[in-house]
Amino acid sequence: MTRKLAARMAGTIVLAAGTVAAFTMPASATVAPAPQAKAATQLEAMQRDFGLTADQAQARLHSEAIANTADRTLRGVLADSFGGSRYDAGLGKLVVGTTDANLADEIRAAGAEPKVVEHSTKQLAGVVDGLNTRQAPQGVTGWYLDSAANSVVVTAAEGAGAAANEFVHSTGVDAQAVHVVESAEAPRILADVIGGNAYTIENSARCSVGFSVEGGFVSAGHCGSQGDSTSTPSGTFAGSSFPGDDYSYVETASGETPRGLVNDYAGGTVSVAGSTEAAEGASICRSGSTSGWHCGTVQAKNQTVNYAEGTVTGLTRTDACAEPGDSGGSWLAGDQAQGVTSGGSGDCTSGGTTYFQPVNEILDAYGLTLITG
């Protein structure tokens, strides 16, 4: 696995283990709306967060499952001409970009909508890699590949747009493929939080179990260092990577029984059936003891986030909310494991942006087997 850059940053993003202050409310917020009621199931959370009926939520999950299958197929078929893909809720299908207009019929045959684009995903990923080679200045909060816009978006604090543009040009990447956006976001890792079940690190900080694997469970890397002990469940960090990545593997003690389930904090559990990656634009839900079930959409993949504690690359960006106490917890698309909570900004009253570390990368890094329910 390629070693990721772990540049130390002095920015405004904060990580998520231990005790962390509440999220900063966006500057545009005035009077905060009333807190949302917790949803008992993932389906109820989708109805609440997307304004759907039960039948509409079920129909969306069905069409997204078809889109995810098409996504996997077309990435291989299109190869270097693949220009990104995104689930379009309005169309109820996957929209797939390609730099080769002659492949439009093959995209349609797979049940997706073709879109001719200028840049391939491979080219844009090269831009992301180029940006990752340099330490960004303070005020540049991250960057990600935006399939819908067929560009790389660099986010910067308000007033830091000029510095962000200078940074982009200094790396030598194709600046025409980059779009700088000023944002009030101030991402941070979500400390003292429970996503699945809570666990304690060194009898002090708390984080959340992400997903059970053979021998233990995975969680966020910033929650603990290799060799740190955990309790409830008891175990030891057998591996941890942060910054650069944000994942960890805890090897549990004998007597602990990892199960392929996620706590729904409504008296029940959700079974995990696998780890098929959801397409951009697809719905995704997360569970956390602080804020319960909340859903949103996959906004982008391969997001680089400049936390105050260091840079993390390869995260997935979502518009689902999270709050302190949700760090390390589980992300699901239907019954498919997606990742563990890394950090974000905002809260579940005013809304926010949250990032997760994809679970398949964690499984590959440590040679782990996901336990299914």
Side-chain angles (χ1 to χ4, degrees):
M1 183 178 69
T2 302
R3 190 67 186 164
K4 296 182 179 178
L5 179 66
R8 292 285 177 179
M9 301 299 297
T12 56
I13 306 175
V14 181
L15 298 175
T19 302
V20 173
F23 283 4
T24 303
M25 182 176 292
S28 60
T30 52
V31 179
Q36 291 178 302
K38 285 192 175 182
T41 66
Q42 185 176 8
L43 198 64
E44 286 184 11
M46 289 183 66
Q47 293 174 65
R48 178 197 62 203
D49 294 343
F50 295 137
L52 303 175
T53 65
D55 287 344
Q56 288 171 332
Q58 290 279 20
R60 175 159 178 165
L61 286 174
H62 177 69
S63 63
E64 286 180 354
I66 294 173
N68 292 338
T69 299
D71 188 43
R72 293 196 305 275
T73 300
L74 289 170
R75 285 173 183 270
V77 170
L78 300 181
D80 288 347
S81 70
F82 178 70
S85 57
R86 192 173 189 87
Y87 176 77
D88 188 311
L91 293 175
K93 62 169 62 176
L94 193 72
V95 176
V96 178
T98 178
T99 57
D100 186 350
N102 294 322
L103 295 175
D105 287 343
E106 292 192 51
I107 294 173
R108 292 191 185 94
E113 184 71 22
K115 179 182 179 182
V116 178
V117 297
E118 181 179 357
H119 306 289
S120 69
T121 297
K122 184 177 181 179
Q123 291 171 322
L124 294 178
V127 172
V128 171
D129 290 342
L131 295 174
N132 289 344
T133 63
R134 296 289 185 91
Q135 179 172 319
Q138 186 171 355
V140 176
T141 54
W143 45 88
Y144 60 93
L145 194 161
D146 187 343
S147 292
N150 193 231
S151 67
V152 172
V153 176
V154 173
T155 55
E158 294 177 340
N165 277 305
E166 290 179 9
F167 164 68
V168 170
H169 286 283
S170 75
T171 65
V173 301
D174 181 4
Q176 297 300 314
V178 178
H179 181 50
V180 173
V181 175
E182 292 189 4
S183 169
E185 292 180 14
R188 53 181 141 195
I189 52 178
L190 314 175
D192 195 26
V193 182
I194 307 164
N197 288 341
Y199 68 98
T200 304
I201 304 93
E202 295 293 317
N203 296 316
S204 56
R206 287 191 302 150
C207 269
S208 308
V209 174
F211 293 98
S212 292
V213 296
E214 294 290 348
F217 63 87
V218 296
S219 187
H222 65 262
C223 290
S225 300
Q226 187 169 347
D228 285 350
S229 63
T230 70
S231 55
T232 321
S234 59
T236 303
F237 278 86
S240 180
S241 181
F242 177 84
D245 308 291
D246 194 4
Y247 54 65
S248 61
Y249 164 47
V250 174
E251 198 170 61
T252 52
S254 60
E256 304 286 357
T257 306
R259 301 180 63 193
L261 303 170
V262 172
N263 193 338
D264 66 5
Y265 288 97
T269 56
V270 176
S271 294
V272 178
S275 59
T276 299
E277 184 178 340
E280 287 185 29
S283 62
I284 192 166
C285 299
R286 47 152 294 278
S287 174
S289 63
T290 300
S291 55
W293 280 105
H294 281 277
C295 300
T297 56
V298 177
Q299 292 185 311
K301 301 179 182 181
N302 201 15
Q303 162 91 49
T304 297
V305 178
N306 294 324
Y307 292 119
E309 295 81 350
T311 299
V312 178
T313 64
L315 298 178
T316 297
R317 178 187 182 94
T318 78
D319 58 4
C321 69
E323 297 183 354
D326 294 330
S327 182
S330 317
W331 288 77
L332 293 164
D335 57 6
Q336 299 296 307
Q338 298 298 306
V340 300
T341 301
S342 174
S345 59
D347 56 37
C348 289
T349 297
S350 56
T353 300
T354 309
Y355 312 101
F356 68 81
Q357 170 76 60
V359 70
N360 285 331
E361 183 179 354
I362 310 174
L363 301 178
D364 290 343
Y366 296 122
L368 302 172
T369 300
L370 183 70
I371 294 179
T372 54

